[in-house]
């Protein structure tokens, strides 16, 4: 078997503290400044593949009916698990409908995040984290200490599980987020069980291998304000997600693009659905049978977009590696070495967001 060693981009070892050189203006404050007709050069991206034309494909993103995934009818459930496996294999992204999370709860979560971003800069600044693993972290761009060009995005990141955290303002945030994150976690667990079965594994294999009872659940609220020169800016660059499964909701403004068959595809979510995507740790566990997919956020000159992603990963101390049952007695070589999830998150969050560079860092050089 080939030796396992890091390949691809050389990432710097994580430094948990990343104070920017000086206090940055948030994109929201910048976008609301009077007379803004062009964006500062620090937000201007040179022409590059990120700005290539978007596919006009009519191929619909797969849809998984969650009620059939948990059906007591074995035929319905088996058919849905096969559809889920195909969605993971072909797209890495899929819509989840009939999931049981009330629409009013989803709308309330979006609204209270909007209220947070409407707070004064001083109020929001109380949530400004200094470490990449701070449980509450408000900021702009992705990692301003290493981003050579800044992204047209403000964010709030909050750890929801295994310990629940919440900003103190708006006052209603805690109650809404507590219930929403709990309900979303239940949906995630059933989908992960379905993914496990679709790989031919025992339904709770991934659950046990990643210690999902103590999973790291992070809420990432993103604000992409309207931009006077959207063709020059990026909300977020092409990247894959760390972890197992991300479940995303958004307001009525589109802006997410997924790389499918080497072309960028605009995603138009079904109302009251989750947009789900598999993360790097499903690619690791499946030994590349299922692959995390590059996606990015683009901006527009009309409306602000708010998206709320709940990223679900293994427990922080879990070291995930490919399932031995998928190696087929050496026919499929081990694609990735194990790394504690905490270390993987630190690595991604401490470097610039760059495709699948973190996954390449732990990939077997012989694969």
């Amino acid at each position: 078997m080939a030796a396992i060693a890091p390949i691809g981009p050389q990432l710097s070892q994580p430094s948990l503290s990343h104070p920017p050189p000086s206090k940055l203006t948030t994109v929201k404050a910048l976008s609301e400044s009077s007379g803004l007709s062009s964006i500062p050069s620090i937000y201007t991206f040179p022409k590059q593949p990120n700005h290539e034309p978007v596919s006009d494909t009519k191929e619909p993103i797969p849809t998984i009916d969650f009620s059939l995934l948990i059906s007591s009818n074995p035929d319905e459930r088996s058919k849905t698990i096969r559809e889920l496996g195909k969605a993971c294999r072909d797209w890495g992204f899929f819509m989840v409908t009939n999931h049981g999370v009330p629409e009013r709860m989803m709308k309330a979560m979006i609204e209270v995040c909007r209220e947070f971003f409407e707070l004064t800069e001083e109020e929001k600044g109380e949530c400004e984290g200094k470490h990449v693993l701070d449980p509450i972290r408000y900021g702009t761009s992705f990692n301003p200490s290493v981003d050579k060009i800044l992204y047209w995005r403000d964010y709030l990141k909050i750890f929801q599980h295994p310990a629940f955290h919440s900003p103190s303002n708006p006052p209603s945030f805690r109650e809404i987020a507590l219930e929403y994150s709990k309900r979303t976690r239940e949906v995630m667990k059933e989908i992960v069980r379905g993914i496990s079965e679709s790989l031919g594994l025992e339904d709770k294999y991934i659950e046990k291998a990643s210690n999902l009872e103590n999973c790291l659940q992070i809420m990432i609220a993103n604000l992409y304000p309207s931009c006077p020169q959207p063709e020059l800016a990026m909300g977020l660059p092409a990247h894959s997600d760390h972890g197992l499964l991300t479940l995303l909701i958004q307001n009525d403004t589109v802006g997410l693009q997924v790389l499918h068959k080497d072309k960028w595809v605009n995603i138009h979510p079904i109302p009251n659905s989750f947009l789900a995507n598999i993360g790097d740790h499903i690619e690791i566990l499946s030994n590349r049978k299922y692959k995390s997919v590059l996606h990015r956020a683009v901006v527009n000159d009309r409306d602000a977009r708010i998206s709320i992603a709940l990223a679900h990963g293994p427990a922080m101390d879990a070291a995930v590696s490919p399932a031995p049952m998928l190696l087929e007695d050496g026919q499929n070589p081990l694609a990735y070495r194990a790394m504690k999830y905490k270390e993987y998150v630190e690595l991604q969050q401490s470097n610039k967001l760059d495709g699948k560079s973190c996954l390449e860092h732990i990939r077997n050089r012989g694969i």
Side-chain angles (χ1 to χ4, degrees):
M1 182 180 292
I4 296 176
I7 66 169
Q10 293 303 301
L11 303 180
S12 62
Q13 290 306 304
S15 169
L16 298 192
S17 181
H18 273 300
S22 59
K23 187 156 181 73
L24 286 166
T25 302
T26 64
V27 176
K28 183 177 185 296
L30 180 62
S31 70
E32 292 174 350
S33 56
S34 64
L36 183 72
S37 58
S38 60
I39 63 175
S41 59
I42 191 67
Y43 292 95
T44 302
F45 280 80
K47 290 292 182 184
Q48 55 179 297
N50 266 2
H51 293 80
E52 65 198 10
V54 175
S55 169
D56 59 357
T57 179
K58 298 298 186 286
E59 182 183 356
I61 186 171
T63 299
I64 301 300
D65 186 330
F66 185 79
S67 66
L68 299 181
L69 185 64
I70 60 172
S71 172
S72 58
N73 181 319
D75 291 337
E76 283 184 341
R77 188 168 185 278
S78 293
K79 180 175 181 289
T80 307
I81 286 173
R82 287 195 299 272
E83 291 172 351
L84 177 60
K86 188 174 190 305
C88 290
R89 190 170 54 252
D90 294 351
W91 276 82
F93 271 76
F94 48 93
M95 309 279 192
V96 182
T97 60
N98 298 321
H99 44 69
V101 180
E103 184 175 11
R104 69 179 184 279
M105 187 182 294
M106 300 168 82
K107 287 184 174 178
M109 194 69 250
I110 293 172
E111 176 58 22
V112 80
C113 285
R114 186 194 66 76
E115 289 174 10
F116 173 84
F117 287 119
E118 290 293 335
L119 295 173
T120 66
E121 293 302 315
E122 184 180 3
E123 289 172 316
K124 288 181 289 191
E126 294 175 4
C127 297
E128 204 170 279
K130 290 183 171 58
H131 303 269
V132 299
L133 291 180
D134 278 353
I136 302 179
R137 194 154 59 99
Y138 165 68
T140 191
S141 190
F142 178 74
N143 186 348
S145 66
V146 296
D147 294 337
K148 289 186 170 61
I149 302 175
L150 299 180
Y151 303 112
W152 198 261
R153 170 221 190 203
D154 295 335
Y155 65 82
L156 175 66
K157 297 181 181 182
I158 321 164
F159 286 17
Q160 303 286 276
H161 191 266
F164 177 81
H165 299 270
S166 173
S168 55
N169 281 310
S172 59
F173 199 107
R174 171 176 291 273
E175 182 181 355
I176 295 169
L178 182 63
E179 185 61 23
Y180 178 74
S181 61
K182 178 184 173 186
R183 295 290 292 269
T184 305
R185 210 157 53 243
E186 292 166 358
V187 173
M188 175 275 298
K189 284 183 179 178
E190 292 294 343
I191 294 174
V192 167
R193 286 171 187 162
I195 291 173
S196 193
E197 286 189 71
S198 75
L199 287 164
L201 304 171
E202 186 258 332
D203 66 339
K204 293 189 177 180
Y205 177 84
I206 295 176
E207 200 169 329
K208 293 173 182 174
S210 58
N211 187 8
L212 215 51
E213 279 305 306
N214 294 305
C215 73
L216 179 63
Q217 183 189 44
I218 308 175
M219 178 181 290
I220 306 107
N222 302 296
L223 173 68
Y224 304 100
S226 60
C227 176
Q229 294 177 297
E231 71 282 0
L232 299 181
M234 286 294 295
L236 276 178
H239 67 282
S240 62
D241 290 352
H242 61 76
L244 300 165
L245 189 77
T246 301
L247 295 173
L248 180 137
I249 59 175
Q250 63 176 45
N251 64 356
D252 295 330
T253 303
V254 299
L256 178 68
Q257 295 180 344
V258 172
L259 193 65
H260 180 60
K261 296 181 178 176
D262 297 321
K263 291 185 177 179
W264 291 107
V265 177
N266 284 313
I267 300 298
H268 300 273
I270 299 168
N272 194 32
S273 70
F274 284 115
L275 180 62
N277 65 281
I278 57 175
D280 292 346
H281 287 73
I282 290 293
E283 179 165 338
I284 294 168
L285 275 156
S286 71
N287 205 45
R288 307 191 78 215
K289 286 184 181 293
Y290 298 161
K291 295 177 182 178
S292 57
V293 173
L294 294 178
H295 52 287
R296 67 186 187 183
V298 296
V299 294
N300 70 83
D301 59 3
R302 301 174 307 280
D303 303 303
R305 176 173 175 252
I306 292 177
S307 68
I308 302 166
L310 276 174
H312 302 90
M316 290 280 257
D317 61 353
V320 172
S321 58
M325 299 76 93
L326 300 178
L327 302 182
E328 297 178 2
D329 297 323
Q331 295 301 306
N332 293 320
L334 190 74
Y336 298 105
R337 63 182 172 91
M339 174 187 263
K340 279 191 177 180
Y341 187 52
K342 178 184 178 184
E343 295 171 5
Y344 193 93
V345 174
E346 288 172 355
L347 190 69
Q348 194 219 42
Q349 296 291 302
S350 299
N351 285 276
K352 67 178 184 177
L353 204 55
D354 181 20
K356 299 176 75 167
S357 57
C358 287
L359 203 52
E360 289 297 310
H361 186 73
I362 61 168
R363 188 171 159 191
N364 179 348
R365 73 167 69 193
I367 300 298

